[in-house]
Amino acid sequence: MLKAKSAEEIELIRESSLLVGKTLAEVAPMIQPGVSVLDLDKRAYEFIKDHGGHPGFLGFNGFPNSLCISMNEVVVHGIPKAGQVMQDGDIISVDCGVLMNGFYGDSAYTFPVGEVSDEVMKLLVNTKECLDLGIEQAIAGNRVGDIGYAVQAHAENAGFGVVRELVGHGLGRDLHEPPEVPNFGRRGKGPKLVEGLVINIEPMINMGRKEVQQHADGWTIYTADRKPSAHFEHTMVVRKGKAELLSTFEFIEQKLEIRA
Ligand code: MG
Ligand code: MG
């Protein structure tokens, strides 16, 4: 059986998650054509340190940076590099982790750079809807497969591909805890969700085929067909009737003046 977190543990995860949300909002206005993605990473590092946290990804299994920045055909785990400059029409997934008071926060948002095509915007909207539909299933008594089914059905109904190799996860003192939370699955299958369980749902949705490849750097995950991919991630507590979000896009969307 999966283990619920205590109220104290949940509050500490909420604090780390809040700093993640504020860090994503701090870098959001920098997401513009002509800006180097490495500048976002540096800003995130400073912001997290200034607010009493540690970048959760920096040094995690040897990851070299504070943010995973994944542009266009990069699905997740992109390493921000000097000279990697955003251009009009790109999309950029920014995944941020914080470790503070012994607990992690972990959330991701995919931003359009300047004007993106209608097709790409449809992918972003669908992926965020997949996340919301997954969250609706994160209720006590449901099973992990209910989440995956909801995400997969919504993406595939739109003709998009659902990445199989990378999944959501439990979260707490470790960045990745049981259970695995796939973005595909069958209703009523998989481990039962218990009240107080903290999980991350993170759909990775490809405009084209579902297949991915890993770069020789050991991190960067690409779409096999090199079409764009989007990624949104929230942390939540499983509750009766409705999940309680611990991470937030509120600060990002205030900065972007997007209505949630
Ligand atoms: Mg993440
Ligand atoms: Mg995650």
Side-chain angles (χ1 to χ4, degrees):
M1 185 155 137
L2 296 167
K3 201 170 168 294
K5 296 285 189 289
S6 71
E8 291 77 12
E9 290 172 322
I10 287 169
E11 287 318 304
L12 292 171
I13 298 169
R14 194 192 311 277
E15 284 179 29
S16 297
S17 300
L18 205 59
L19 182 50
V20 169
K22 288 179 176 173
T23 305
L24 289 170
E26 179 68 18
V27 303
M30 300 170 70
I31 297 173
Q32 288 182 33
V35 177
S36 165
V37 298
L38 201 57
D39 292 346
L40 272 60
D41 183 71
K42 288 177 186 161
R43 186 72 205 108
Y45 175 88
E46 289 162 5
F47 189 83
I48 292 167
K49 285 289 190 185
D50 286 350
H51 290 79
H54 302 281
F57 300 161
L58 184 62
F60 182 83
N61 291 336
F63 190 77
N65 291 82
S66 299
L67 299 176
C68 293
I69 298 186
S70 306
M71 282 174 76
N72 300 330
E73 74 278 10
V74 179
V75 180
V76 286
H77 301 167
I79 299 172
K81 291 182 189 69
Q84 192 183 9
V85 172
M86 291 175 275
Q87 294 180 23
D88 196 41
D90 285 340
I91 54 171
I92 172 177
S93 152
V94 182
D95 196 346
C96 179
V98 159
L99 178 59
M100 193 164 63
N101 300 317
F103 287 85
Y104 278 94
D106 176 18
S107 178
Y109 196 95
T110 302
F111 300 84
V113 181
E115 285 280 307
V116 302
S117 70
D118 291 349
E119 196 186 13
V120 166
M121 189 51 79
K122 192 180 154 208
L123 175 69
L124 297 186
V125 169
N126 180 276
T127 306
K128 198 151 172 276
E129 289 169 350
C130 284
L131 174 57
D132 292 338
L133 291 167
I135 292 167
E136 280 181 17
Q137 297 298 321
I139 52 178
N142 269 7
R143 291 182 181 269
V144 167
D146 293 312
I147 297 171
Y149 177 84
V151 171
Q152 181 181 10
H154 190 64
E156 290 182 352
N157 285 341
F160 297 137
V162 178
V163 174
R164 300 298 201 273
E165 289 81 353
L166 299 123
V167 296
H169 49 88
L171 173 140
R173 286 191 179 277
D174 290 313
L175 181 57
H176 299 134
E177 298 185 357
E180 290 196 343
V181 184
N183 296 303
F184 56 94
R186 293 172 62 191
R187 278 190 278 203
K189 301 289 179 186
K192 191 176 264 188
L193 301 170
V194 295
E195 184 169 16
L197 179 72
V198 174
I199 57 168
N200 278 43
I201 300 179
E202 48 179 314
M204 290 156 250
I205 307 298
N206 298 346
M207 181 173 284
R209 289 157 51 79
K210 66 181 186 299
E211 284 74 21
V212 297
Q213 296 171 345
Q214 189 173 40
H215 190 272
D217 65 14
W219 284 105
T220 313
I221 304 292
Y222 294 88
T223 56
D225 61 13
R226 301 295 190 264
K227 290 185 179 175
S229 181
H231 175 221
F232 289 86
E233 176 178 22
H234 265 317
T235 305
M236 69 215 67
V237 191
V238 172
R239 297 292 190 199
K240 290 186 181 118
K242 191 175 193 292
E244 178 188 353
L245 283 186
L246 298 180
S247 57
T248 177
F249 296 153
E250 192 188 326
F251 304 111
I252 298 171
E253 290 175 346
Q254 279 171 6
K255 286 272 178 80
L256 297 180
E257 295 174 5
I258 289 173
R259 211 180 288 264

